[in-house]
Amino acid sequence: MKLIYPLARPNISKKEERNVLSVLRSGTLSIGPFVEEFEKKFAKAVGSKYACAVSSGTAGLHIALVAAGIGEGDEVITSPFSFIASSNSILYTGARPVFVDVDPLTYNIDPSKIEEKITRRTKAIMPVHIFGQLCDMHEIMRIAKKHKLIVIEDACESLKATYRGKQAGTFGQSGVFAFYANKQMTTGEGGMLVTDDKHIYELAKSLRNQGRAPNMQWLDHDRLGFNYRMDEMSAALGVAQLEQLALSIRERKKIAAWYEKHLRPYRQFVTTPKVAPGNSHTYFVYVVQIRPAGRRRDAVIEKLGKRGIGSKPYLPSIHLFSFYKKLLGTKRGDFPISENVSDHTLALPIYVGLTEKDIRRIVATLISIL
Ligand SMILES: *Cc1c(COP(=O)(O)O)cnc(C)c1O
Protein backbone atom coordinates (compact mmCIF):
# COMPACT_ATOMS: atom_id res chain seq x y z
CA MET A 1 0.00 0.00 0.00
CA LYS A 2 1.23 3.49 -0.82
CA LEU A 3 1.65 5.57 2.29
CA ILE A 4 -0.16 8.88 2.62
CA TYR A 5 2.55 10.04 5.00
CA PRO A 6 5.94 8.35 4.49
CA LEU A 7 8.42 8.53 7.36
CA ALA A 8 10.71 10.85 5.41
CA ARG A 9 10.73 12.59 2.06
CA PRO A 10 13.55 14.66 0.50
CA ASN A 11 12.75 18.23 -0.48
CA ILE A 12 14.06 18.66 -4.03
CA SER A 13 13.63 22.02 -5.79
CA LYS A 14 14.37 23.31 -9.29
CA LYS A 15 17.82 24.39 -8.15
CA GLU A 16 18.78 20.77 -7.40
CA GLU A 17 17.53 19.71 -10.86
CA ARG A 18 19.48 22.49 -12.56
CA ASN A 19 22.69 21.76 -10.66
CA VAL A 20 22.66 18.02 -11.36
CA LEU A 21 21.78 18.56 -15.01
CA SER A 22 24.66 21.02 -15.37
CA VAL A 23 27.05 18.33 -14.11
CA LEU A 24 25.71 15.78 -16.59
CA ARG A 25 26.15 18.27 -19.41
CA SER A 26 29.63 19.36 -18.30
CA GLY A 27 31.21 15.94 -18.74
CA THR A 28 33.06 16.24 -15.41
CA LEU A 29 31.27 13.66 -13.29
CA SER A 30 33.91 13.17 -10.62
CA ILE A 31 36.75 15.21 -9.05
CA GLY A 32 35.40 18.57 -10.15
CA PRO A 33 34.32 22.02 -9.01
CA PHE A 34 31.08 21.06 -7.21
CA VAL A 35 32.86 18.91 -4.62
CA GLU A 36 35.16 21.82 -3.75
CA GLU A 37 32.28 24.30 -3.63
CA PHE A 38 30.22 21.94 -1.46
CA GLU A 39 33.11 21.43 0.97
CA LYS A 40 33.80 25.16 1.35
CA LYS A 41 30.15 26.04 1.89
CA PHE A 42 29.55 23.12 4.22
CA ALA A 43 32.55 23.96 6.43
CA LYS A 44 31.21 27.49 6.73
CA ALA A 45 27.67 26.28 7.52
CA VAL A 46 28.80 24.14 10.46
CA GLY A 47 31.51 26.51 11.69
CA SER A 48 34.47 24.28 10.96
CA LYS A 49 37.82 25.11 9.30
CA TYR A 50 37.96 22.18 6.88
CA ALA A 51 35.51 19.78 5.26
CA CYS A 52 36.24 16.65 3.22
CA ALA A 53 33.36 15.21 1.16
CA VAL A 54 33.04 11.43 1.05
CA SER A 55 30.79 8.78 -0.47
CA SER A 56 28.78 8.08 2.71
CA GLY A 57 28.59 8.86 6.39
CA THR A 58 29.98 5.41 7.12
CA ALA A 59 33.01 6.10 4.88
CA GLY A 60 33.53 9.40 6.73
CA LEU A 61 33.52 7.68 10.13
CA HIS A 62 35.94 5.04 8.85
CA ILE A 63 38.52 7.54 7.60
CA ALA A 64 38.09 9.73 10.69
CA LEU A 65 39.14 6.72 12.77
CA VAL A 66 42.00 5.75 10.44
CA ALA A 67 43.25 9.36 10.36
CA ALA A 68 43.20 9.32 14.18
CA GLY A 69 45.49 6.31 14.12
CA ILE A 70 42.91 3.86 15.48
CA GLY A 71 43.56 0.23 14.57
CA GLU A 72 44.09 -3.34 15.66
CA GLY A 73 44.10 -3.80 19.44
CA ASP A 74 42.52 -0.42 20.22
CA GLU A 75 39.20 0.18 21.93
CA VAL A 76 36.73 2.92 21.06
CA ILE A 77 33.95 3.85 23.47
CA THR A 78 30.58 4.41 21.82
CA SER A 79 26.81 4.00 22.16
CA PRO A 80 24.80 0.81 21.55
CA PHE A 81 21.78 3.00 20.78
CA SER A 82 22.74 4.10 17.26
CA PHE A 83 22.51 3.21 13.61
CA ILE A 84 24.87 0.26 13.05
CA ALA A 85 27.28 2.37 10.93
CA SER A 86 28.94 3.99 13.96
CA SER A 87 29.96 0.69 15.46
CA ASN A 88 30.72 -0.99 12.12
CA SER A 89 33.17 1.79 11.23
CA ILE A 90 35.14 0.98 14.40
CA LEU A 91 35.27 -2.71 13.43
CA TYR A 92 36.59 -1.82 9.94
CA THR A 93 39.77 -0.49 11.56
CA GLY A 94 40.36 -3.66 13.56
CA ALA A 95 39.53 -1.85 16.81
CA ARG A 96 36.84 -2.98 19.24
CA PRO A 97 33.71 -0.98 19.99
CA VAL A 98 33.12 -0.75 23.75
CA PHE A 99 29.52 0.16 24.48
CA VAL A 100 28.34 2.45 27.26
CA ASP A 101 24.63 2.63 28.11
CA VAL A 102 22.56 5.72 27.32
CA ASP A 103 20.68 8.39 29.23
CA PRO A 104 16.99 7.43 29.53
CA LEU A 105 15.74 10.90 28.56
CA THR A 106 17.96 11.93 25.62
CA TYR A 107 19.00 8.39 24.48
CA ASN A 108 22.56 9.72 24.14
CA ILE A 109 25.61 8.06 25.74
CA ASP A 110 25.63 8.56 29.53
CA PRO A 111 28.93 10.30 30.40
CA SER A 112 28.75 9.16 34.02
CA LYS A 113 29.24 5.56 32.82
CA ILE A 114 32.20 6.22 30.48
CA GLU A 115 35.13 6.25 32.89
CA GLU A 116 34.49 2.76 34.25
CA LYS A 117 34.93 1.43 30.68
CA ILE A 118 38.29 3.09 30.00
CA THR A 119 41.22 0.67 29.81
CA ARG A 120 44.87 0.86 28.69
CA ARG A 121 43.64 0.04 25.19
CA THR A 122 41.06 2.84 24.97
CA LYS A 123 42.10 5.34 22.29
CA ALA A 124 38.95 7.26 21.48
CA ILE A 125 35.36 8.09 22.28
CA MET A 126 32.81 8.18 19.47
CA PRO A 127 29.74 9.98 20.81
CA VAL A 128 26.68 9.58 18.57
CA HIS A 129 24.38 12.60 18.63
CA ILE A 130 21.17 10.67 18.29
CA PHE A 131 18.01 11.82 16.45
CA GLY A 132 19.15 15.47 16.17
CA GLN A 133 20.36 16.26 19.67
CA LEU A 134 23.94 16.51 20.92
CA CYS A 135 25.43 14.40 23.67
CA ASP A 136 26.60 16.10 26.86
CA MET A 137 29.77 17.32 25.14
CA HIS A 138 30.93 19.32 28.16
CA GLU A 139 31.34 16.11 30.17
CA ILE A 140 32.60 14.02 27.26
CA MET A 141 35.33 16.53 26.37
CA ARG A 142 36.32 16.79 30.05
CA ILE A 143 36.70 12.99 30.33
CA ALA A 144 38.55 12.79 27.01
CA LYS A 145 41.01 15.45 28.09
CA LYS A 146 41.60 13.83 31.48
CA HIS A 147 42.37 10.43 29.91
CA LYS A 148 44.03 11.79 26.73
CA LEU A 149 41.44 10.25 24.40
CA ILE A 150 40.56 11.37 20.90
CA VAL A 151 36.93 12.35 20.27
CA ILE A 152 35.32 11.58 16.90
CA GLU A 153 31.72 12.73 16.71
CA ASP A 154 29.12 10.78 14.81
CA ALA A 155 27.03 13.84 13.92
CA CYS A 156 25.26 12.04 11.05
CA GLU A 157 21.82 12.63 12.60
CA SER A 158 22.45 16.08 14.05
CA LEU A 159 23.35 18.56 11.34
CA LYS A 160 22.94 22.14 12.67
CA ALA A 161 22.10 20.97 16.19
CA THR A 162 23.88 22.95 18.91
CA TYR A 163 25.02 22.40 22.49
CA ARG A 164 25.62 25.61 24.45
CA GLY A 165 25.67 27.45 21.12
CA LYS A 166 28.33 25.26 19.47
CA GLN A 167 27.45 23.07 16.50
CA ALA A 168 27.50 19.29 16.26
CA GLY A 169 30.70 17.99 14.73
CA THR A 170 32.91 20.83 15.99
CA PHE A 171 33.84 19.59 19.47
CA GLY A 172 36.10 16.63 18.72
CA GLN A 173 39.14 16.04 16.51
CA SER A 174 36.69 15.40 13.70
CA GLY A 175 32.96 15.24 13.15
CA VAL A 176 31.10 13.28 10.50
CA PHE A 177 27.81 14.04 8.73
CA ALA A 178 25.69 11.93 6.37
CA PHE A 179 23.44 12.81 3.45
CA TYR A 180 21.32 9.73 2.86
CA ALA A 181 17.86 10.68 1.57
CA ASN A 182 16.16 10.78 4.99
CA LYS A 183 18.65 13.14 6.68
CA GLN A 184 18.19 16.89 7.27
CA MET A 185 19.72 17.37 3.80
CA THR A 186 20.62 14.84 1.13
CA THR A 187 23.04 14.11 -1.70
CA GLY A 188 21.48 10.70 -2.42
CA GLU A 189 24.39 8.90 -0.82
CA GLY A 190 27.17 10.96 0.71
CA GLY A 191 28.93 12.21 3.78
CA MET A 192 31.29 14.87 5.11
CA LEU A 193 34.16 14.87 7.55
CA VAL A 194 34.82 18.21 9.26
CA THR A 195 37.83 19.16 11.35
CA ASP A 196 39.83 22.18 12.50
CA ASP A 197 43.04 20.15 12.29
CA LYS A 198 44.89 20.69 9.01
CA HIS A 199 46.85 17.45 9.36
CA ILE A 200 43.68 15.38 9.87
CA TYR A 201 42.06 17.15 6.92
CA GLU A 202 44.97 16.34 4.62
CA LEU A 203 45.08 12.75 5.80
CA ALA A 204 41.33 12.41 5.21
CA LYS A 205 41.68 13.75 1.66
CA SER A 206 44.43 11.25 0.96
CA LEU A 207 42.54 8.34 2.56
CA ARG A 208 39.40 8.95 0.50
CA ASN A 209 41.51 8.89 -2.64
CA GLN A 210 43.45 5.60 -2.45
CA GLY A 211 46.08 7.03 -0.13
CA ARG A 212 47.51 9.33 -2.75
CA ALA A 213 50.14 11.65 -1.33
CA PRO A 214 48.75 15.16 -0.99
CA ASN A 215 49.53 17.43 -3.95
CA MET A 216 51.64 14.77 -5.62
CA GLN A 217 49.20 13.75 -8.34
CA TRP A 218 50.23 10.29 -9.52
CA LEU A 219 53.70 10.51 -8.10
CA ASP A 220 53.15 8.46 -4.97
CA HIS A 221 50.73 6.60 -2.76
CA ASP A 222 52.21 6.69 0.70
CA ARG A 223 49.54 4.83 2.68
CA LEU A 224 46.66 2.38 2.29
CA GLY A 225 43.65 4.38 1.19
CA PHE A 226 40.15 3.78 -0.12
CA ASN A 227 37.91 5.04 -2.87
CA TYR A 228 35.51 7.06 -0.74
CA ARG A 229 35.20 10.03 -3.11
CA MET A 230 31.93 11.89 -3.54
CA ASP A 231 30.87 12.28 -7.18
CA GLU A 232 29.94 15.60 -8.81
CA MET A 233 26.20 14.84 -9.15
CA SER A 234 25.96 14.30 -5.41
CA ALA A 235 28.00 17.41 -4.63
CA ALA A 236 25.85 19.49 -7.01
CA LEU A 237 22.78 18.23 -5.18
CA GLY A 238 24.47 19.05 -1.87
CA VAL A 239 25.25 22.64 -2.88
CA ALA A 240 21.56 23.23 -3.68
CA GLN A 241 20.40 21.43 -0.53
CA LEU A 242 22.65 23.65 1.62
CA GLU A 243 20.66 26.65 0.42
CA GLN A 244 17.51 24.98 1.74
CA LEU A 245 19.05 23.77 4.98
CA ALA A 246 17.80 26.63 7.15
CA LEU A 247 14.28 26.01 5.86
CA SER A 248 14.57 22.26 6.46
CA ILE A 249 15.65 22.80 10.08
CA ARG A 250 13.00 25.46 10.70
CA GLU A 251 10.23 23.22 9.34
CA ARG A 252 11.42 20.21 11.36
CA LYS A 253 11.36 22.24 14.56
CA LYS A 254 7.90 23.54 13.72
CA ILE A 255 6.53 20.05 13.01
CA ALA A 256 8.07 18.73 16.24
CA ALA A 257 6.33 21.53 18.16
CA TRP A 258 3.00 20.58 16.53
CA TYR A 259 3.46 16.95 17.54
CA GLU A 260 4.31 18.05 21.09
CA LYS A 261 1.22 20.24 21.26
CA HIS A 262 -1.21 17.65 19.90
CA LEU A 263 0.27 14.71 21.81
CA ARG A 264 0.37 16.57 25.14
CA PRO A 265 -3.12 15.45 26.30
CA TYR A 266 -2.10 11.78 25.83
CA ARG A 267 0.94 11.66 28.08
CA GLN A 268 -0.19 8.42 29.67
CA PHE A 269 0.24 6.58 26.31
CA VAL A 270 2.91 8.52 24.47
CA THR A 271 6.17 10.10 25.67
CA THR A 272 7.46 12.89 23.41
CA PRO A 273 11.18 13.73 22.88
CA LYS A 274 13.03 15.51 25.68
CA VAL A 275 15.42 18.31 24.86
CA ALA A 276 18.19 18.59 27.45
CA PRO A 277 19.18 22.04 28.78
CA GLY A 278 21.59 23.92 26.50
CA ASN A 279 20.53 21.93 23.44
CA SER A 280 18.89 22.86 20.17
CA HIS A 281 17.36 19.74 18.55
CA THR A 282 17.16 19.49 14.74
CA TYR A 283 14.89 16.42 14.53
CA PHE A 284 16.42 14.04 12.01
CA VAL A 285 13.52 11.86 13.15
CA TYR A 286 10.62 12.44 15.52
CA VAL A 287 10.63 9.55 17.98
CA VAL A 288 8.05 8.86 20.67
CA GLN A 289 7.80 6.12 23.29
CA ILE A 290 4.65 4.03 23.44
CA ARG A 291 3.64 2.98 26.98
CA PRO A 292 2.70 0.50 28.21
CA ALA A 293 4.23 -1.60 25.51
CA GLY A 294 6.45 -4.58 24.93
CA ARG A 295 5.09 -6.23 21.82
CA ARG A 296 2.38 -3.65 21.42
CA ARG A 297 4.71 -1.13 19.81
CA ASP A 298 5.18 -3.40 16.76
CA ALA A 299 1.41 -3.84 16.44
CA VAL A 300 0.99 -0.06 16.51
CA ILE A 301 3.51 0.32 13.67
CA GLU A 302 1.68 -2.28 11.62
CA LYS A 303 -1.69 -0.60 12.18
CA LEU A 304 -0.30 2.84 11.35
CA GLY A 305 1.02 1.41 8.08
CA LYS A 306 -2.38 -0.02 7.20
CA ARG A 307 -3.81 3.44 7.64
CA GLY A 308 -1.21 5.04 5.38
CA ILE A 309 1.21 6.38 7.98
CA GLY A 310 4.87 5.43 7.83
CA SER A 311 6.45 4.45 11.13
CA LYS A 312 9.43 2.38 12.28
CA PRO A 313 11.07 1.17 15.48
CA TYR A 314 13.91 3.63 16.19
CA LEU A 315 16.38 2.16 16.88
CA PRO A 316 17.24 -1.46 17.68
CA SER A 317 20.24 -1.71 20.04
CA ILE A 318 23.40 -2.66 18.16
CA HIS A 319 24.69 -5.11 20.77
CA LEU A 320 21.64 -7.35 20.17
CA PHE A 321 22.19 -7.83 16.43
CA SER A 322 23.15 -11.47 15.81
CA PHE A 323 26.49 -10.55 14.24
CA TYR A 324 27.46 -8.42 17.25
CA LYS A 325 26.30 -11.02 19.75
CA LYS A 326 28.53 -13.57 18.05
CA LEU A 327 31.51 -11.25 17.66
CA LEU A 328 31.50 -9.47 21.03
CA GLY A 329 29.54 -11.93 23.17
CA THR A 330 26.97 -9.27 24.06
CA LYS A 331 23.51 -10.26 25.25
CA ARG A 332 20.15 -8.95 26.44
CA GLY A 333 20.58 -7.28 29.81
CA ASP A 334 24.01 -5.76 29.05
CA PHE A 335 22.66 -2.25 28.36
CA PRO A 336 19.19 -2.18 29.92
CA ILE A 337 18.37 1.46 29.22
CA SER A 338 19.24 1.20 25.54
CA GLU A 339 17.23 -2.04 25.29
CA ASN A 340 14.25 -0.53 27.06
CA VAL A 341 14.23 2.46 24.71
CA SER A 342 14.63 0.16 21.69
CA ASP A 343 11.57 -1.85 22.80
CA HIS A 344 9.24 1.13 23.18
CA THR A 345 10.10 3.76 20.58
CA LEU A 346 8.70 4.48 17.15
CA ALA A 347 9.37 7.25 14.64
CA LEU A 348 6.58 9.33 13.12
CA PRO A 349 6.65 11.19 9.76
CA ILE A 350 8.70 14.38 9.68
CA TYR A 351 9.66 16.22 6.48
CA VAL A 352 9.28 19.59 4.78
CA GLY A 353 5.71 20.03 3.55
CA LEU A 354 3.78 18.53 6.46
CA THR A 355 1.17 20.94 7.82
CA GLU A 356 -0.41 21.22 11.25
CA LYS A 357 -3.52 19.58 9.80
CA ASP A 358 -1.41 16.59 8.72
CA ILE A 359 0.09 16.30 12.19
CA ARG A 360 -3.36 16.48 13.79
CA ARG A 361 -4.47 13.66 11.51
CA ILE A 362 -1.41 11.52 12.27
CA VAL A 363 -1.80 12.06 16.01
CA ALA A 364 -5.55 11.28 15.88
CA THR A 365 -4.82 8.03 14.03
CA LEU A 366 -2.09 7.06 16.51
CA ILE A 367 -4.32 7.78 19.49
CA SER A 368 -7.26 5.87 18.03
CA ILE A 369 -4.97 2.84 17.55
CA LEU A 370 -3.71 3.08 21.14
C1 LIG B 1 22.94 7.92 8.77
C2 LIG B 1 23.90 7.56 9.83
C3 LIG B 1 25.23 7.23 9.55
C4 LIG B 1 25.82 7.16 8.16
O1 LIG B 1 25.05 6.54 7.26
P1 LIG B 1 25.39 6.39 5.70
O2 LIG B 1 24.20 5.66 5.20
O3 LIG B 1 26.64 5.62 5.59
O4 LIG B 1 25.53 7.75 5.11
C5 LIG B 1 26.08 6.99 10.62
N1 LIG B 1 25.65 7.05 11.89
C6 LIG B 1 24.37 7.35 12.20
C7 LIG B 1 23.98 7.42 13.64
C8 LIG B 1 23.45 7.60 11.18
O5 LIG B 1 22.18 7.88 11.49
Side-chain angles (χ1 to χ4, degrees):
M1 186 190 144
K2 193 163 158 32
L3 294 170
I4 307 162
Y5 300 114
L7 203 49
R9 176 184 279 165
N11 186 32
I12 303 296
S13 74
K14 286 271 177 261
K15 175 82 187 256
E16 278 82 345
E17 291 179 13
R18 272 203 307 276
N19 274 13
V20 175
L21 199 58
S22 80
V23 171
L24 295 176
R25 287 178 175 157
S26 76
T28 305
L29 304 192
S30 190
I31 313 186
F34 269 115
V35 167
E36 275 181 35
E37 183 182 348
F38 185 33
E39 289 173 336
K40 282 207 181 85
K41 289 182 169 166
F42 190 88
K44 196 155 174 238
V46 303
S48 189
K49 263 197 194 140
Y50 308 102
C52 172
V54 286
S55 53
S56 72
T58 311
L61 289 169
H62 184 194
I63 61 173
L65 289 159
V66 174
I70 310 290
E72 204 79 44
D74 296 335
E75 292 177 356
V76 178
I77 288 175
T78 192
S79 170
F81 191 75
S82 174
F83 178 55
I84 194 166
S86 50
S87 183
N88 277 355
S89 68
I90 296 167
L91 289 177
Y92 299 161
T93 67
R96 189 182 172 90
V98 173
F99 296 123
V100 167
D101 212 350
V102 295
D103 175 274
L105 294 179
T106 63
Y107 316 149
N108 276 324
I109 193 167
D110 182 345
S112 73
K113 293 178 180 160
I114 289 178
E115 282 189 287
E116 64 201 58
K117 294 291 183 79
I118 295 173
T119 70
R120 273 185 18 250
R121 292 170 178 269
T122 310
K123 287 279 159 58
I125 306 174
M126 182 189 282
V128 181
H129 307 310
I130 210 74
F131 298 161
Q133 172 166 230
L134 273 93
C135 299
D136 182 350
M137 290 312 289
H138 181 79
E139 267 306 286
I140 290 170
M141 294 311 291
R142 187 188 65 77
I143 294 163
K145 200 167 166 198
K146 182 174 156 196
H147 297 273
K148 298 194 168 61
L149 302 175
I150 294 162
V151 173
I152 293 166
E153 297 171 70
D154 180 342
C156 291
E157 298 191 356
S158 293
L159 180 54
K160 294 303 272 180
T162 58
Y163 173 78
R164 299 187 185 175
K166 196 168 155 62
Q167 282 200 52
T170 65
F171 289 83
Q173 181 185 75
S174 52
V176 177
F177 296 89
F179 310 123
Y180 182 69
N182 66 348
K183 310 270 169 169
Q184 287 92 336
M185 60 169 275
T186 187
T187 61
E189 297 282 359
M192 192 75 83
L193 181 156
V194 301
T195 182
D196 283 346
D197 184 326
K198 188 154 190 257
H199 175 66
I200 294 292
Y201 166 65
E202 277 169 359
L203 261 175
K205 285 218 297 187
S206 167
L207 288 166
R208 78 168 169 194
N209 196 23
Q210 307 284 12
R212 190 175 299 174
N215 306 319
M216 289 193 70
Q217 302 297 330
W218 284 105
L219 292 182
D220 193 20
H221 289 252
D222 55 2
R223 60 181 62 83
L224 177 65
F226 313 90
N227 177 0
Y228 283 165
R229 294 186 305 267
M230 175 180 276
D231 64 69
E232 282 285 289
M233 287 77 76
S234 297
L237 196 49
V239 166
Q241 286 274 289
L242 263 184
E243 288 176 22
Q244 291 206 55
L245 184 56
L247 169 95
S248 164
I249 303 297
R250 208 162 53 233
E251 288 297 305
R252 283 168 186 276
K253 289 185 179 189
K254 201 158 77 185
I255 296 163
W258 287 332
Y259 272 125
E260 175 67 33
K261 173 175 144 195
H262 294 292
L263 283 167
R264 200 173 298 142
Y266 306 104
R267 250 181 234 152
Q268 70 271 38
F269 309 127
V270 185
T271 312
T272 53
K274 298 285 174 292
V275 182
N279 273 280
S280 171
H281 199 308
T282 59
Y283 299 98
F284 154 61
V285 278
Y286 189 85
V287 175
V288 298
Q289 283 195 43
I290 303 296
R291 305 235 166 227
R295 274 206 206 92
R296 220 172 122 194
R297 187 267 320 264
D298 296 335
V300 173
I301 291 174
E302 202 185 312
K303 285 181 183 155
L304 279 169
K306 283 195 178 126
R307 293 171 71 171
I309 297 168
S311 172
K312 253 193 204 163
Y314 250 84
L315 294 152
S317 293
I318 297 172
H319 69 284
L320 296 181
F321 287 131
S322 54
F323 168 70
Y324 274 86
K325 288 204 279 195
K326 221 195 262 163
L327 186 79
L328 303 176
T330 47
K331 57 187 185 308
R332 188 162 273 278
D334 285 352
F335 305 100
I337 299 170
S338 177
E339 292 164 18
N340 192 310
V341 177
S342 291
D343 288 345
H344 294 84
T345 42
L346 63 82
L348 293 170
I350 189 162
Y351 49 88
V352 175
L354 284 172
T355 63
E356 185 166 10
K357 198 168 150 227
D358 295 325
I359 301 309
R360 241 189 269 125
R361 207 170 142 194
I362 293 165
V363 168
T365 310
L366 175 65
I367 297 304
S368 77
I369 290 167
L370 292 173

